[in-house]
């Protein structure tokens, strides 16, 4: 049996709503940027990993989101 390694999701059956929304918005941004599916997967996984590290730190989350959406 595999376990969820992302802390934001590990303790519940549904991830934090903001994670769902940010992931959806980021996927749309990557598609708009013309990303190929392999790059999209890598970038999304990296983004979720970054969010996981600061899931309880709103200012740090905001910094990551601004950086990821800046281009």
């Amino acid at each position: 049996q595999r376990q969820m390694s992302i802390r934001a999701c590990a303790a519940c059956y549904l991830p934090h709503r903001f994670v769902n929304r940010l992931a959806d918005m980021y996927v749309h941004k990557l598609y708009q940027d013309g990303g190929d599916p392999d790059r999209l997967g890598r970038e999304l996984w990296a983004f979720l990993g970054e969010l996981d590290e600061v899931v309880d730190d709103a200012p740090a989350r905001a910094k990551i989101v601004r950086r990821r959406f800046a281009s």
Side-chain angles (χ1 to χ4, degrees):
Q1 177 181 353
R2 294 182 68 191
Q3 290 189 345
M4 178 63 71
S5 61
I6 297 174
R7 284 191 322 259
C9 304
C12 62
Y13 295 102
L14 295 172
H16 296 283
R17 289 182 189 263
F18 71 84
V19 174
N20 281 344
R21 183 69 181 130
L22 287 173
D24 183 55
M25 291 168 55
Y26 194 56
V27 167
H28 286 282
K29 180 214 180 295
L30 292 172
Y31 271 120
Q32 287 176 340
D33 292 348
D36 65 84
D38 288 335
R39 178 180 167 264
L40 188 144
R42 285 190 308 272
E43 293 290 330
L44 179 59
W45 192 248
F47 180 51
L48 291 173
E50 286 181 281
L51 289 177
D52 182 51
E53 293 295 320
V54 296
V55 72
D56 295 320
D57 183 345
R61 280 195 323 260
K63 185 176 180 179
I64 289 168
V65 170
R66 281 192 301 271
R67 181 176 46 81
R68 287 283 182 165
F69 284 82
S71 57

